[in-house]
């Protein structure tokens, strides 16, 4: 239902002039100045990118901030710079104008007395009839109607021709419905099909189909030029030929010479000025209309009096009659029987007793009317098709004929023959260009008074009108014209007149002249439109190597694009056959129409909020029907041309996707991707993931340096090598602070992270969060990163190499808490030591990847080296698996079992079983443990930070103050005792240690307790780490990568300070180490 707006006037105490004051004056900015800046800005832009950056029309980013002096809107005054007043918005909408890009001559610019340039903008005044209906009629009706439609009717028959015309007209009608929906869904700047497809289906489809549409328009120019030359050399000046040697070769060479000259002439006209082409357009349209009226008048005249054109048949064969007047072998001249002009064509002399062709002797000559008339009943003979091979003689089947031996070529050249093989699909390809041109209205949308109303009505009415003309012509041609004449493509049997010209009234020259100027006008229009289409594509920046064609003359004329268009058009001219060029442009136009239908169907099915066309008579089923019909007609017309065009469009699509500029136009393909992603995510969450489908979905925890750049880029490199581009990758980092203060830094860091991912060829997503501390930020990411079924199942991070040098314990605490949280979340954890030593993507390693399988935690240790070896960096490395046997284990049987297990897992690896015998704990182990505990003791003593000491001092001061405020001295004396009662034993020890702050750190290490006082649990753990490290270093020190089971942190947090020491000892002496901790589920299986 319509929405009613009520405009309420608001009194405002605004004063002052609208002129531009000094910089310090607080005066309102002139709206005229704002709109003038908008106009200059819009005219300076070569494309529509600026217009699309804002949801509002003609929104200028350079508008000065207005000053509002009124008090009525004071509540919103802080938002005025980003959210304009409704009155200002409506004013801009009302003054909006959209000039056709490149179609008009450069507007005249005048300078006023102040030297300010002003552009005179003409408000579009064209209505539906002038702006849409007539241009579509002019583009649809053309060369095929006058030069080939009669031949199509004669060859395919009335029924076949009716089917061809109906299919093509229905195809364009459905496309026009889809186009109307797209064109009325908001303001469509001039650009036609390219603009609609690119903005609806995205830059990749837009660029590919836009170039196909450009090539189709260019080859259409070739077809119209060939039609012009065919009319010129066949009907107007037949003697103006350059080559006369061979019949067919000479004709083609003449077409090439004259076609090239005509192309150059037309290009010069277009180069000089488009306004001349536009002025002549009405003249060319008048020629088309007069020619069609003459045809209908001729049909009516056949009822009264058929035209005096006759066809001469020898037996049942049609003869070319441009070389004789009398259709007889003998004639009576002054009471003497003489041979006619026809006699020497089939005999070796003029004499009656000359040797003649056998078929000429056995058969009589018959003269029949070329146009029997509408009431003659000839429609019955023309209902059915008469297809045949090239060189087949045109014969009237109902006419008697005596058979004879095949004649020599000398005599056959006087018969009318098929110049090409004819079949249904060929005729579809030749006819389809006659229904193209439905985009003429949308191309002129900038010139229309009401484009959203005029484009649907004008285009659909033009299609209905032309469809009626074509269908009626099919029936009328079949009902009026003799079949042998219809199949005579160039009219050789009717004194070399166009067949439709023979039917027309008052003279065939009406058709000849009308069709000649129609073809000239259509060729000029193609040479005018194609360069501008190429210029629009080039200015959008979709294809980098086409950028040069976006430039032109000072007035915007696309000079370079015109040169390229002429070059491509010359290729079509050199083909020198209208019948060969027509299927080529049919495929290009059908490809374009297919994607117009697809765009409408996609937008309709997605139901995007912005899809609100004013044209309501559309449905997605109609669009799909039109799309299917276009695809069918492509392969019906020429399957090999269709495949070639699809390959070309596919190559352009992939090129734009790979090298083209990134554009975000709110296209339907992106919406389709979002819908598909949503559907897939919902499906993934419905059922649990099977082991066979498990793959590492990695959350990479990165660290940013002070410049907000990735500190360890090789972490991303290793991610790429691990993932090989498959699965989910989320690269995250955390900034300390609040989002209000560090929001911009987070966005900068995210951009830097994306750049680093692109440099390291890491495919995935990046995200930077701001949290009050790093621990909470990492915890938040581990819990909430991902969406639905696409959540990470593994966390990759770098080993905190500087945790010993850190003054506080934050690095150690953050690392251990991350390990605990990943274990609690049942996620795998990968920790890379010396990550900066890992190989780049350009390195090629040859060596061993060693896996030390100590405990089984889901098989991740087996799967990771297989995934890494798939990448070209690690492809030449061999996989070795080591496992540890205890005293009571059978190491030989363990090796056999492990080999069998790897065989079932389909993994190629060497197997080694390392025996670790029970041995006494060495002095080295005790020394290591002693140093570890001394360090832990020192860290505990240093944990009373300056903040905590200040807090305790403040507590003592507050309580003393409270005590002294009372009048009781005794209470005052007991206050310190009560204060000290709140202290624990540890705090008392720390307070005493604080008094000895000047003691050197080295003295702390001199406090050596006896070995027997050490924690036996720590001694055993250190013993395991030392012995295992000795074995690993002995066997894998030279390996390219070592994968180790990562022991978990202690359940009690009391041992956290020692956990890092154990891991450090375990990895000591190794260069590249990957600690692996499973997520608690099986990730590899022996089953298929």
């Amino acid at each position: 239902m319509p929405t009613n707006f009520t405009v309420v006037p608001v009194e405002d105490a605004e004063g002052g002039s609208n002129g531009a004051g000094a910089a310090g004056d607080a005066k309102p900015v002139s709206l005229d100045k704002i709109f003038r800046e908008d106009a200059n800005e819009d005219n300076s832009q070569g494309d529509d990118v600026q217009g699309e950056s804002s949801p509002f029309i003609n929104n200028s980013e350079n508008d000065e901030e207005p000053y509002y002096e009124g008090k009525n809107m004071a509540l919103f005054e802080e938002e005025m710079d980003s959210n304009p007043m409704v009155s200002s918005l409506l004013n801009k909408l009302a003054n909006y104008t959209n000039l056709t890009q490149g179609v008009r001559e450069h507007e005249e610019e005048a300078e006023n007395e102040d030297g300010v340039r002003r552009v005179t903008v003409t408000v579009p005044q064209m209505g539906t009839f002038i702006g849409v209906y007539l241009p579509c009629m002019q583009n649809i009706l053309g060369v095929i109607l006058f030069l080939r439609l009669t031949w199509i009717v004669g060859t395919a028959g009335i029924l076949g021709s009716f089917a061809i015309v109906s299919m093509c007209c229905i195809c364009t009608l459905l496309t026009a419905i889809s186009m109307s929906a797209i064109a009325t869904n908001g303001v469509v700047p001039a650009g036609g099909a390219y603009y609609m497809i690119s903005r609806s289906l995205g830059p990749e489809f837009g660029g590919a189909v836009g170039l196909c549409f450009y090539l189709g328009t260019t080859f259409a120019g070739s077809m119209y030029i060939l039609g012009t030359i065919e009319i010129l050399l066949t009907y107007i000046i037949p003697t103006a030929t350059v080559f006369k040697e061979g019949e067919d070769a000479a004709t083609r060479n003449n077409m090439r010479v004259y076609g090239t000259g005509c192309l150059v002439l037309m290009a010069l006209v277009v180069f000089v000025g488009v306004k001349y082409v536009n002025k002549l357009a009405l003249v060319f349209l008048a020629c088309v209309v007069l020619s069609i009226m003459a045809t209908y008048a001729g049909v009516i005249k056949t009822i009264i009096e058929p035209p005096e054109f006759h066809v001469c048949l020898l037996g049942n064969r049609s003869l070319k009659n441009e070389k004789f007047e009398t259709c007889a072998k003998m004639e009576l001249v002054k009471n003497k029987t003489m041979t006619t002009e026809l006699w020497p064509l089939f005999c070796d002399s003029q004499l009656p007793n000359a040797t003649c062709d056998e078929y000429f002797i056995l058969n009589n000559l018959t003269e029949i009317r070329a146009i029997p008339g509408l009431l003659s009943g000839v429609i019955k003979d023309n209902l059915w098709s008469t297809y045949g091979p090239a060189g087949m003689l045109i014969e009237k089947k109902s006419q008697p004929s005596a058979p004879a031996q095949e004649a020599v070529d000398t005599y056959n050249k006087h018969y009318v023959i098929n110049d090409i093989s004819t079949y249904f699909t060929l005729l579809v390809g030749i006819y389809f260009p006659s229904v193209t041109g439905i985009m003429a209205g949308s191309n002129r949308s900038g010139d229309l008074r009401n484009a959203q109303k005029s484009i649907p009505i004008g285009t659909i009415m033009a299609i209905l009108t032309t469809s009626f003309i074509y269908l009626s012509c099919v029936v009328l041609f079949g009902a009026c014209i003799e079949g042998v004449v219809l199949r005579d493509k160039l009219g050789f049997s009717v004194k070399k007149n166009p067949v439709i010209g023979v039917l027309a009234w008052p003279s065939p020259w009406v058709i000849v002249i009308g069709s000649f100027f129609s073809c000239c006008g259509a060729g000029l229009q193609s040479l005018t439109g194609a360069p501008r289409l190429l210029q629009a594509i080039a200015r959008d920046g979709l294809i980098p190597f086409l950028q040069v064609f976006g430039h032109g003359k000072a007035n915007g004329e696309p000079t370079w694009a015109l040169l390229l268009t002429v070059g491509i058009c010359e290729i079509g001219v050199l083909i020198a056959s209208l019948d060969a060029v027509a299927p080529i442009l049919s495929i290009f136009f059908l490809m374009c129409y297919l994607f117009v239908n697809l765009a409408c169907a996609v937008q309709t099915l997605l139901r995007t909020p912005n899809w609100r066309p004013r044209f309501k008579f559309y449905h997605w089923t109609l669009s799909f029907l039109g799309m299917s019909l276009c695809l069918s007609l492509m392969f019906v017309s020429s399957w090999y041309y269709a495949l070639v065009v699809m390959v070309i469009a596919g190559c352009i699509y992939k090129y734009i996707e790979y090298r083209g500029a990134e554009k975000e136009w709110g296209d339907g393909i992106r919406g389709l991707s979002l819908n598909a992603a949503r559907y897939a995510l919902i499906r993934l969450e419905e059922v649990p993931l099977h082991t066979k489908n498990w793959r590492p979905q990695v959350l990479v925890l990165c660290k940013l340096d002070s410049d907000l750049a990735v500190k360890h880029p090789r972490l991303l490199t290793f991610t790429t090598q691990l993932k090989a581009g498959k699965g989910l990758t989320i690269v995250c980092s955390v900034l300390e602070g609040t989002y209000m203060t560090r929001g911009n830094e987070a966005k900068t860091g995210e951009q830097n992270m994306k750049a680093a991912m692109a440099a390291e060829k890491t495919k995935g997503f990046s995200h930077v969060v701001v949290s009050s501390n790093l621990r909470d930020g990492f915890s938040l990411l581990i819990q909430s990163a991902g969406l639905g079924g696409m959540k990470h199942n593994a966390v990759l991070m770098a080993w905190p190499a500087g945790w010993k040098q850190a003054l506080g314990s934050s690095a150690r605490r953050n690392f251990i808490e991350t390990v605990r949280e990943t274990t609690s979340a049942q996620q795998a954890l990968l920790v890379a030591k010396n990550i900066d030593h890992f190989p780049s993507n350009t390195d090629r390693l040859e060596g061993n990847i060693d896996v030390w399988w100590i405990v089984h935690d889901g098989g991740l240790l087996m799967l990771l080296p297989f995934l890494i070896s798939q990448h070209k960096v690690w492809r030449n490395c061999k996989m070795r698996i080591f496992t540890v046997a205890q005293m009571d284990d059978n190491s030989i049987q363990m090796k056999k079992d492990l080999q069998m297990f790897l065989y079932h897992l389909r993994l190629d690896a060497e197997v080694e079983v390392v025996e670790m015998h029970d041995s006494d704990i060495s002095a080295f182990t005790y020394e290591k443990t002693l140093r570890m505990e001394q360090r832990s003791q020192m860290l505990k003593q240093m944990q009373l930070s300056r903040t905590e000491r200040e807090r305790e001092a403040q507590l003592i001061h507050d309580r003393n103050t409270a005590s002294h405020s009372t009048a009781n001295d005794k209470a005052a004396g007991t206050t310190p005792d009560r204060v000290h009662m709140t202290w624990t034993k540890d705090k008392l020890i720390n307070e005493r240690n604080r008094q000895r702050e000047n003691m050197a750190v080295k003295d702390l290490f001199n406090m050596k307790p006896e070995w027997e006082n050490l924690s036996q649990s720590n001694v055993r753990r250190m013993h395991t780490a030392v012995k295992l490290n000795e074995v690993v270093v002995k066997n894998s020190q030279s390996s390219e990568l070592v994968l180790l089971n990562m022991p978990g942190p202690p359940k009690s947090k009391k041992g956290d300070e020692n956990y890092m020491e154990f891991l450090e000892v375990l990895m000591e002496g190794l260069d590249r180490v990957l600690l692996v901790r499973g997520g608690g589920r099986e990730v590899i299986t022996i089953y298929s």
Side-chain angles (χ1 to χ4, degrees):
M1 60 181 294
T3 305
N4 297 322
F5 291 96
T6 303
V7 181
V8 180
V10 179
E11 294 294 333
D12 196 354
E14 183 176 338
S17 65
N18 289 337
D25 295 341
K27 294 186 178 181
V29 175
S30 169
L31 286 179
D32 179 69
K33 180 178 180 182
I34 294 175
F35 292 133
R36 185 165 64 249
E37 290 175 357
D38 286 343
N40 291 336
E41 208 173 40
D42 289 341
N43 288 330
S44 66
Q45 292 289 334
D47 54 15
D48 51 80
V49 175
Q50 186 269 342
E52 292 180 359
S53 63
S54 169
F56 300 115
I57 302 172
N58 282 3
N59 185 52
S60 175
E61 297 178 358
N62 297 327
D63 289 350
E64 297 182 16
E65 182 179 352
Y67 177 80
Y68 298 91
E69 294 182 353
K71 300 180 180 58
N72 294 316
M73 295 293 115
L75 184 61
F76 300 95
E77 63 184 6
E78 293 184 358
E79 302 178 17
M80 291 299 180
D81 54 345
S82 59
N83 301 327
M85 290 286 293
V86 174
S87 58
S88 174
L89 173 65
L90 294 178
N91 193 10
K92 287 190 177 185
L93 287 172
N95 293 333
Y96 171 72
T97 181
N98 182 18
L99 295 178
T100 308
Q101 297 173 357
V103 174
R104 293 180 179 176
E105 286 291 311
H106 190 59
E107 288 81 7
E108 296 294 333
E109 295 185 356
E111 293 189 2
N112 59 10
E113 295 178 357
D114 299 330
V116 179
R117 295 169 57 190
R118 295 182 179 274
V119 178
T120 304
V121 178
T122 305
V123 178
Q125 293 295 331
M126 297 175 68
T128 303
F129 185 76
I130 298 295
V132 181
Y133 182 77
L134 290 183
C136 287
M137 290 281 291
Q138 180 188 358
N139 281 267
I140 295 173
L141 301 172
V143 60
I144 301 297
L145 171 63
F146 300 119
L147 296 184
R148 293 293 183 269
L149 188 57
T150 54
W151 173 70
I152 291 173
V153 173
T155 306
I158 295 176
L159 298 180
S161 303
F162 203 89
I164 292 172
V165 175
S166 299
M167 280 194 305
C168 296
C169 290
I170 291 173
C171 175
T172 55
L173 180 61
L174 294 174
T175 304
I177 292 173
S178 300
M179 183 197 71
S180 299
I182 299 174
T184 58
N185 186 50
V187 177
V188 178
Y194 163 69
Y195 183 90
M196 290 188 289
I197 294 173
S198 62
R199 271 55 176 182
S200 298
L201 293 181
E204 292 88 0
F205 279 110
V209 181
L211 280 181
C212 287
F213 190 45
Y214 162 74
L215 292 174
T217 308
T218 304
F219 276 102
S222 302
M223 185 189 72
Y224 292 128
I225 290 173
L226 290 174
T228 302
I229 302 306
E230 183 176 302
I231 296 170
L232 180 69
L233 296 181
T234 306
Y235 305 121
I236 300 177
I237 315 176
T239 57
T241 55
V242 179
F243 300 92
K244 299 182 183 297
E245 297 84 13
E247 188 71 26
D248 188 55
T251 302
R252 289 182 177 272
N253 289 332
N254 287 323
M255 295 280 284
R256 293 185 179 106
V257 172
Y258 280 94
T260 303
C262 182
L263 174 61
V264 172
L265 186 62
M266 288 185 177
L268 288 175
V269 173
V270 173
F271 179 78
V272 169
V274 183
K275 60 182 179 182
Y276 302 110
V277 179
N278 291 335
K279 288 179 180 179
L280 291 173
L282 196 58
V283 176
F284 297 143
L285 178 61
C287 293
V288 175
V289 173
L290 288 175
S291 300
I292 294 174
M293 292 176 63
T295 303
Y296 281 111
V299 170
I300 297 172
K301 186 176 181 296
T302 60
I303 302 175
I304 305 169
E305 181 185 357
E308 292 297 328
F309 280 95
H310 294 84
V311 180
C312 187
L313 301 178
L314 177 59
N316 63 355
R317 300 176 181 177
S318 178
L319 297 176
K320 298 179 181 179
N321 64 357
E322 72 267 19
K323 293 184 178 180
F324 61 89
E325 293 293 336
T326 304
C327 184
K329 298 179 182 179
M330 301 288 182
E331 63 179 345
L332 192 61
V333 179
K334 297 180 181 180
N335 295 326
K336 290 183 180 182
T337 302
M338 302 288 291
T339 58
T340 62
E341 298 169 339
L342 186 59
W343 186 270
L345 300 179
F346 293 93
C347 300
D348 56 5
S349 71
Q350 190 76 32
L351 300 176
N353 59 354
T355 302
C356 298
D357 177 48
E358 182 182 358
Y359 189 84
F360 180 73
I361 296 172
L362 295 177
N363 290 277
N364 295 323
L365 290 166
T366 308
E367 192 172 49
I368 61 174
R369 283 187 178 273
I371 312 293
L374 192 60
L375 305 179
S376 63
V378 74
I379 189 172
K380 297 178 182 178
D381 300 329
N382 294 330
L383 281 176
W384 310 106
S385 62
T386 312
Y387 299 114
M392 186 187 77
L393 300 175
I394 304 297
E395 299 176 341
K396 182 176 174 62
K397 299 299 183 183
S398 60
Q399 191 75 12
S401 173
Q405 294 181 355
E406 287 295 326
V408 296
D409 291 339
T410 306
Y411 299 137
N412 271 348
K413 69 180 183 180
H414 302 297
Y415 297 113
V416 180
I417 61 172
N418 275 349
D419 59 341
I420 59 173
S421 298
T422 54
Y423 41 90
F424 180 81
T425 56
L426 173 73
L427 299 184
V428 173
I430 292 175
Y431 173 76
F432 189 80
S434 65
V435 296
T436 59
I438 62 174
M439 302 291 181
S442 62
N443 291 345
R444 297 166 178 259
S445 59
D447 299 327
L448 302 175
R449 186 183 304 115
N450 187 351
Q452 295 189 356
K453 177 183 177 182
S454 298
I455 290 176
I457 297 175
T459 304
I460 293 176
M461 288 304 297
I463 291 175
L464 293 177
T465 304
T466 53
S467 300
F468 171 77
I469 292 173
Y470 282 127
L471 292 172
S472 62
C473 284
V474 167
V475 176
L476 294 176
F477 290 165
C480 295
I481 305 175
E482 181 61 50
V484 291
V485 179
L486 285 173
R487 296 198 295 278
D488 183 3
K489 182 187 294 184
L490 300 178
F492 290 120
S493 61
V494 284
K495 301 293 183 183
K496 216 170 185 181
N497 286 305
V499 176
I500 191 173
V502 176
L503 177 63
W505 179 87
S507 169
W509 282 99
V510 176
I511 299 296
V512 172
I513 300 301
S515 58
F516 178 80
F517 283 111
S518 171
C519 291
C520 288
L524 286 171
Q525 292 288 347
S526 297
L527 291 180
T528 302
R532 282 156 180 79
L533 180 57
L534 180 63
Q535 186 183 43
I537 298 173
R539 287 183 172 179
D540 269 346
L542 300 181
I543 304 175
F545 66 83
L546 291 181
Q547 297 276 358
V548 64
F549 299 108
H551 307 293
K553 294 193 293 186
N555 61 356
E557 292 296 316
T559 308
W560 295 108
L562 178 62
L563 290 176
L564 180 64
T565 302
V566 170
I568 298 175
C569 195
E570 176 65 14
I571 297 174
V573 171
L574 293 177
I575 295 175
S577 173
L578 189 149
D579 300 324
V581 173
I584 298 176
L585 66 101
S586 294
I587 300 298
F588 282 122
F589 277 114
L590 281 167
M591 173 74 80
C592 175
Y593 295 166
L594 183 150
F595 280 96
V596 170
N597 285 292
L598 176 63
C600 181
V602 167
Q603 296 278 26
T604 305
L605 288 176
L606 291 179
R607 298 178 181 175
T608 53
N610 192 53
W611 180 247
R612 303 184 300 275
R614 290 196 176 277
F615 180 77
K616 301 299 182 183
F617 304 100
Y618 69 94
H619 197 266
W620 66 267
T621 53
L622 296 178
S623 299
F624 266 110
L625 180 60
M627 184 176 64
S628 305
L629 193 54
C630 288
L631 187 62
S632 302
L633 287 176
M634 284 177 65
F635 283 93
V636 165
S637 301
S638 177
W639 64 268
Y640 45 90
Y641 280 156
L643 290 178
V644 169
V645 171
M646 285 184 171
V647 169
I648 293 174
C651 292
I652 298 171
Y653 178 95
K654 296 306 292 184
Y655 179 80
I656 295 175
E657 187 180 52
Y658 179 66
R659 292 291 303 275
E662 294 183 2
K663 299 284 184 179
E664 176 51 54
W665 287 329
D667 52 89
I669 293 299
R670 185 174 178 83
L672 189 62
S673 301
L674 291 173
N675 270 16
R678 179 183 62 86
Y679 175 77
L681 288 172
I682 293 174
R683 288 295 304 273
L684 281 175
E685 210 170 19
E686 290 177 357
V687 291
L689 187 68
H690 194 274
T691 303
K692 290 187 291 186
N693 291 325
W694 192 95
R695 63 182 63 194
Q697 318 278 14
V698 184
L699 173 69
V700 184
L701 299 180
C702 281
K703 188 174 182 180
L704 300 180
D705 58 19
S706 58
D707 296 328
L708 300 178
V710 177
K711 190 173 183 180
H712 301 294
R714 289 296 168 85
L715 197 61
L716 302 179
T717 310
F718 182 68
T719 305
T720 303
Q721 297 164 7
L722 173 64
K723 302 289 296 175
K726 304 296 189 298
L728 175 69
T729 301
I730 307 175
V731 183
C732 296
S733 187
V734 179
L735 297 179
E736 283 190 287
T738 62
Y739 191 76
M740 295 295 292
T741 57
R742 305 198 68 181
N744 292 332
E745 295 181 29
K747 293 176 182 177
T748 304
E750 194 165 326
Q751 292 299 322
N752 294 341
M753 198 177 290
K754 287 180 179 178
M757 291 173 66
E760 302 299 333
K761 299 181 180 179
T762 305
K763 296 182 179 179
F765 309 97
S766 62
H767 191 47
V768 176
V769 298
V770 181
S771 179
S772 57
N773 57 72
L774 295 178
R775 176 67 251 124
D776 291 344
F778 287 133
S779 175
L780 179 66
L781 290 173
I782 292 172
Q783 295 177 57
S784 61
L787 181 64
M790 289 296 286
K791 290 183 70 69
H792 62 279
N793 52 28
V795 177
L796 173 62
M797 60 189 301
W799 172 259
W803 70 274
K804 286 185 178 181
Q805 289 75 24
L807 293 178
S809 58
S810 60
R812 173 178 56 83
R813 186 171 62 252
N814 290 342
F815 178 81
I816 297 174
E817 289 301 317
T818 301
V819 176
R820 284 198 173 99
E821 289 198 358
T822 54
T823 304
S824 177
Q826 295 185 336
Q827 295 173 4
L829 178 64
L830 312 177
V831 180
K833 178 191 176 186
N834 294 334
I835 187 62
D836 293 329
H837 296 175
F838 275 58
S840 67
N841 287 325
T842 58
D843 295 334
R844 300 293 180 269
L845 302 182
E846 293 184 3
N848 296 319
I849 299 176
D850 289 352
V851 178
W852 285 85
W853 191 21
I854 312 300
V855 294
H856 179 67
D857 54 358
L860 185 58
L861 268 175
M862 306 291 181
L863 185 61
L864 285 178
F866 169 76
L867 295 175
I868 293 172
S869 63
Q870 302 302 303
H871 196 274
K872 55 189 176 182
V873 172
W874 305 89
R875 191 167 294 158
N876 297 325
C877 294
K878 295 181 181 179
M879 179 178 169
R880 298 192 303 179
I881 296 183
F882 295 86
T883 188
V884 177
Q886 302 297 322
M887 279 295 295
D888 54 349
D889 292 331
N890 186 343
S891 58
I892 298 176
Q893 187 62 37
M894 279 183 64
K895 185 173 182 178
K896 290 182 179 180
D897 293 341
L898 183 54
Q899 287 174 338
M900 182 59 65
F901 180 58
L902 292 178
Y903 175 78
H904 287 305
L905 290 177
R906 290 91 63 200
L907 296 176
D908 296 325
E910 297 180 11
V911 175
E912 294 289 340
V913 177
V914 179
E915 296 181 353
M916 287 184 63
H917 302 289
D918 289 340
S919 60
D920 294 334
I921 299 175
S922 64
F924 177 74
T925 302
Y926 279 110
E927 186 68 23
K928 279 274 189 183
T929 309
L930 177 62
R931 291 183 181 179
M932 180 186 70
E933 291 199 352
Q934 287 176 343
R935 176 179 173 82
S936 299
Q937 184 179 0
M938 180 186 68
L939 290 175
K940 284 182 178 180
Q941 291 171 352
M942 295 175 64
Q943 278 188 2
L944 188 63
S945 64
R946 181 180 293 107
T947 305
E948 292 172 333
R949 293 199 301 269
E950 290 176 354
R951 189 181 301 116
E952 292 291 342
Q954 184 65 36
L955 179 62
I956 296 173
H957 177 268
D958 291 345
R959 295 196 175 184
N960 281 330
T961 304
S963 301
H964 283 294
S965 63
T966 62
N968 193 342
D969 294 338
K970 181 179 179 180
T974 59
T975 299
D977 296 334
R978 288 202 300 269
V979 171
H980 285 289
M981 286 294 290
T982 64
W983 283 41
T984 63
K985 183 178 180 180
D986 291 338
K987 289 185 178 181
L988 181 61
I989 294 173
N990 291 335
E991 181 63 23
R992 289 174 179 174
N993 290 334
R994 185 182 63 80
Q995 298 173 1
R996 292 180 291 177
E997 285 180 344
N998 295 328
M999 184 176 62
V1001 175
K1002 62 182 180 179
D1003 293 335
L1004 291 173
F1005 290 104
N1006 294 328
M1007 297 185 301
K1008 297 182 178 179
E1010 298 296 328
W1011 283 357
E1012 56 269 15
N1013 294 332
L1014 294 175
S1015 169
Q1016 292 304 308
S1017 174
N1018 288 340
V1019 172
R1020 290 197 308 273
R1021 291 173 185 270
M1022 184 62 74
H1023 176 68
T1024 303
V1026 170
K1027 297 297 291 182
L1028 190 57
N1029 175 258
E1030 289 177 358
V1031 176
V1032 174
V1033 170
K1034 178 181 177 181
N1035 291 276
S1036 302
Q1037 190 170 20
S1038 61
S1039 298
E1040 298 294 345
L1041 180 64
V1042 178
L1043 284 82
L1044 282 170
N1045 275 118
M1046 181 179 181
K1051 295 181 180 179
S1052 173
K1053 293 187 178 183
K1054 294 180 179 179
D1056 284 359
E1057 62 273 8
N1058 303 325
Y1059 176 66
M1060 301 288 284
E1061 290 281 0
F1062 294 142
L1063 295 182
E1064 194 76 61
V1065 170
L1066 183 62
M1067 297 184 292
E1068 192 173 1
L1070 300 173
D1071 186 20
R1072 301 190 190 111
V1073 182
L1074 185 66
L1075 294 176
V1076 180
R1077 183 165 177 78
R1081 63 162 294 169
E1082 292 291 335
V1083 300
I1084 194 168
T1085 177
I1086 64 175
Y1087 299 104
S1088 62

